[in-house]
Amino acid sequence: LGTTFTYPYLLGSRWNNLTQVINMSNFAKGDGYTWPVVPGTDQYTFTEEQIQQKLLKRQRMVDHVITGPYVTNWFSRLTLANPLLFCVCNGLDEQYIAVNKGDKVLVSRWRKRWLYGCIKRKLKNKDGKLVEKEIGGWFPRICAMETAEQTQKKVE
């Protein structure tokens, strides 16, 4: 944050990058775990940048409360307010999530009629114990309403 990101694996030219993987010996240079990086960076610079971007995305998420249920099957899409609205697939290859009235969802992306958000659910793990997991997916915009607290933050 506040600093310029330098991509650590751009070694000056495509040829330099390509010869790290494809060369006359038919074996990649190095051990496959560590690669040459640009001076001033290290093996984890890219990972650290991705973590920072995820934190920024998390801060920009908007709180929503679910006002009506949505089940992830085709029939439920037909039973909502406008049948034509939900007959059309939203064109995204990501999963849909079922939501219930009163659920709290953190929304990170939106389309005209769909919201993408994360919801916390208690699920059983391999040992059969209940653990809280965050599940992300698309759900209809008509089923959710932005919280009053979030609206006040925008006004300030």
Side-chain angles (χ1 to χ4, degrees):
L1 298 173
T3 60
T4 304
F5 173 70
T6 304
Y7 187 72
Y9 303 109
L10 189 57
L11 301 175
S13 71
R14 289 182 182 178
W15 181 252
N16 287 343
N17 285 12
L18 188 63
T19 58
Q20 292 297 316
V21 181
I22 301 171
N23 52 50
M24 297 302 272
S25 68
N26 288 335
F27 292 103
K29 294 180 182 177
D31 58 10
Y33 296 105
T34 56
W35 298 92
V37 292
V38 173
T41 64
D42 59 31
Q43 296 292 323
Y44 303 104
T45 302
F46 191 58
T47 304
E48 291 164 357
E49 175 70 14
Q50 287 179 322
I51 291 169
Q52 289 296 323
Q53 288 178 1
K54 281 189 174 191
L55 289 173
L56 286 172
K57 182 179 178 182
R58 175 72 65 182
Q59 290 172 357
R60 287 191 308 265
M61 287 179 143
V62 180
D63 292 325
H64 280 69
V65 175
I66 302 302
T67 57
Y70 172 69
V71 183
T72 55
N73 62 34
W74 280 102
F75 182 72
S76 70
R77 294 178 195 172
L78 297 174
T79 60
L80 288 170
N82 183 349
L84 296 176
L85 184 78
F86 295 100
C87 287
V88 179
C89 180
N90 71 1
L92 301 165
D93 292 335
E94 297 170 275
Q95 73 177 16
Y96 299 91
I97 54 172
V99 291
N100 299 310
K101 188 174 183 175
D103 286 346
K104 294 183 187 210
V105 182
L106 282 172
V107 173
S108 59
R109 291 182 275 161
W110 44 89
R111 299 284 181 262
K112 188 173 182 179
R113 295 181 176 101
W114 295 87
L115 298 173
Y116 184 90
C118 296
I119 188 168
K120 291 188 178 179
R121 291 271 164 81
K122 293 199 183 232
L123 301 171
K124 289 185 180 180
N125 64 6
K126 292 177 185 175
D127 303 329
K129 295 180 182 177
L130 283 177
V131 288
E132 194 168 73
K133 290 223 171 191
E134 199 169 81
I135 302 170
W138 292 94
F139 59 94
R141 183 182 285 252
I142 200 169
C143 294
M145 184 175 71
E146 196 173 317
T147 61
E149 300 156 0
Q150 199 70 39
T151 307
Q152 282 187 352
K153 284 181 188 176
K154 285 182 180 178
V155 171
E156 294 170 358

